[in-house]
Amino acid sequence: MTSKTPSRAGGASLILFDAEGRARKSQAHALRVQLADGRSLTVDLSQADDGVVALLAEHTDTRQQAGLLVRPDNHDAVAVAVTATPLRTTTGTPATPPELELDVQYGDGVRGRRGVPARGKLQTWIRSALFADAQLTVRFVNEDEGRALNRGYRGKDYATNVLTFAYAEHEDDPVTADIVLCCPVVEREAREQRKPLEAHYAHLVVHGALHAQGYEHEDDGEAEEMEAIETETLLALGFDDPYRERVGR
C-alpha cells in the first residue's frame, strides 16, 4: 500500500486502495510513491482546488537525474514512468566525477622540472575528462625515454608530446592506461605555439585521458569529436580553446 504525508486541513481527499482493493479515505496535500531503487513520484495536491495535480520525479541518489515519461493510454488516462539518468556536465562527463586511481611517475631528471604539474592539478584535469572510473598512470619523461618509447611501440624514431597506452580490450573493461608526457617536447611546443606551459600540459593530459577511454582521431569525424570534447573540457577548466589560432604564430 502506498504511503502518504500527514493530513493537513484543507487538503484534497485521497482514496487509497490496498492490494486486495480495500479503500481508505484520507486528507493530504501530497502523496509520494517511493520505489525500491531510490526513484520516487510525488503527487502534489496543493493546487487541487483548481483542478490541478502536479507530478514530481525525484531520486535519492544525487548522481541520478529523475524524469517523467508520460504515455497516453486513452482519452482520460495516462501511464507515468519515473526515469533515471546519470547527471552530466556540459562536456558530457558525469556531474559527480568518477573514481580515479592515479599513479604519478617521473623519469630521469624530470622531477622538480619547471612547469611539471602537481598531482592535484593532474587529478582535476583528468577527472574533468573521465566518463567512467579509471586507473591511470601519468609518467613524465625526458627526451631520450620519450624517443625510446615512441620508437619501440610506434616505430617512430623521435620523441612526441604525449603517448597513451590503453589496456582495455573491450567496451565494458575498466579504463586502465599509462599516459606518458615528454617534458622537453611539451615545453618546446608551448613556446612555439605561444601558449602558457600549464595550458599545454592540461590539454595533453585531457587528450591522453580521452585516448585512455577509446577516443581516436584517425579520420576527420573522430578528430572533430575528440577536439570538440577537448575544447569544451579545457574551457570548463578555465583555459583557452587549445585549437584557436594565435596571433603571431
Side-chain angles (χ1 to χ4, degrees), residues 66-85:
L68 290 175
L69 181 62
V70 180
R71 186 192 70 230
D73 278 352
N74 52 56
H75 71 281
D76 62 354
V78 296
V80 178
V82 183
T83 62
T85 55

Side-chain angles (χ1 to χ4, degrees), residues 102-111 113-119 121-123 125-126 136-150 154 158-165 177-190 196-212 234:
L102 177 64
D103 181 28
V104 182
Q105 300 178 359
Y106 304 90
D108 291 343
V110 299
R111 183 185 290 273
R113 190 181 181 107
R114 181 188 69 84
V116 172
R119 181 187 184 88
K121 287 184 178 179
L122 293 173
Q123 289 175 322
W125 298 344
I126 292 171
L136 301 178
T137 296
V138 174
R139 181 174 176 83
F140 297 94
V141 301
N142 59 29
E143 198 149 4
D144 288 342
E145 184 175 346
R147 180 178 181 179
L149 288 170
N150 203 25
R154 299 176 69 225
Y158 59 85
T160 190
N161 51 20
V162 60
L163 291 168
T164 302
F165 303 95
D178 294 335
I179 300 172
V180 180
L181 294 124
C182 184
C183 298
V185 175
V186 177
E187 294 164 8
R188 184 164 60 246
E189 290 179 343
L197 180 57
E198 182 180 69
H200 197 38
Y201 267 121
H203 179 204
L204 295 175
V205 168
V206 167
H207 185 87
L210 292 177
H211 271 313
L234 269 291

Side-chain angles (χ1 to χ4, degrees), residues 38-94:
R39 291 175 295 164
S40 67
L41 176 65
T42 298
V43 182
D44 181 359
L45 302 171
S46 60
Q47 304 176 68
D49 289 345
D50 298 323
V52 176
V53 175
L55 303 179
L56 174 64
E58 296 178 288
H59 205 300
T60 56
D61 186 345
T62 58
R63 297 170 297 180
Q64 299 287 329
Q65 174 66 57
L68 290 175
L69 181 62
V70 180
R71 186 192 70 230
D73 278 352
N74 52 56
H75 71 281
D76 62 354
V78 296
V80 178
V82 183
T83 62
T85 55
L87 285 171
R88 302 279 168 174
T89 66
T90 56
T91 60
T93 56

